[in-house]
Amino acid sequence: MYFLPEKLDDYIVSHSEEEPELLQQLTRETYQKILQPIMLSGPYQGRVLSMISKLIRPKTILELGTFTGYATLCLAEGLQGEGEIDTIDVNEELVDFQRKYFNKSNYGKQIFQHLGNALDIIPTLDKTFDLVFIDADKPNYVNYFNLIIDKLNSGGIILSDNVLWHGKVIEPINEKDNSTKAVLEFNTLLKNDKRIETVLLPIRDGLTISRKI
């Protein structure tokens, strides 16, 4: 997931904002107790998410894929005073872990957890969104986009993670690799859909910013 030389990457990280202490604690406990801790956004990408959210100043955020809540808290940093973030995940075992850190933050009352399949939950959310972060199962990325595009406000932003998929997007396709095929399809959709304008950034494993026109 690192496409730059290590020394250059270290320089970039050292000249960016520091990771807040609460997120350092969350990271440590995730690595101690949770399987696949590599799924964390990490300090550099977390600061990128925070900065984008602060620039947008969203009133409503939707996150698909909570994991242990790291990116949730980063995105929440840009919320307006009365803003809300709805975050969806299928893993019941992580709900209490997430809530512990949400409540330790300044945004606990603004974060609403939803447990279950996002494809079922998204249609039940009776609101529109200024910012959406997609970081869930790759085979459903296109389905998620199709569900959220009409719930995205004009000028709203979709952030899509892992769009370079460990560099596999430029390698020969394994016909059994459904995740890579799904990411390729999703990237093509974002490029061609006339309702949005898109820029793909080589940040960590790839982060796309799409703005609804």
Side-chain angles (χ1 to χ4, degrees), residues 109-140:
K109 295 181 179 179
Q110 297 171 268
I111 300 174
F112 298 90
Q113 296 161 279
H114 303 271
L115 178 64
N117 188 326
L119 297 177
D120 298 326
I121 294 171
I122 293 170
T124 71
L125 300 177
D126 188 22
K127 61 176 72 174
T128 57
F129 297 95
D130 301 314
L131 175 60
V132 177
F133 182 45
I134 305 177
D135 187 17
D137 56 311
K138 305 306 170 270
N140 273 314

Side-chain angles (χ1 to χ4, degrees), residues 90-103:
V90 296
N91 193 337
E92 183 177 1
E93 296 179 356
L94 295 177
V95 171
D96 291 340
F97 186 104
Q98 298 159 4
R99 178 47 59 184
K100 179 175 73 171
Y101 280 94
F102 294 162
N103 289 344

Side-chain angles (χ1 to χ4, degrees), residues 162-173 180 183-184 187:
N162 305 117
V163 291
L164 294 179
W165 202 229
H166 317 296
K168 292 181 181 180
V169 291
I170 58 171
E171 295 176 355
I173 300 175
T180 299
V183 171
L184 289 168
N187 289 344

Side-chain angles (χ1 to χ4, degrees), residues 22 73 102-110:
L22 179 62
L73 291 172
F102 294 162
N103 289 344
K104 284 184 176 183
S105 77
N106 297 325
Y107 317 104
K109 295 181 179 179
Q110 297 171 268

Side-chain angles (χ1 to χ4, degrees), residues 25-35 37 101:
Q25 296 174 16
L26 189 159
T27 297
R28 285 194 293 270
E29 190 168 357
T30 298
Y31 272 85
Q32 289 168 355
K33 299 180 178 179
I34 307 299
L35 293 175
Y101 280 94

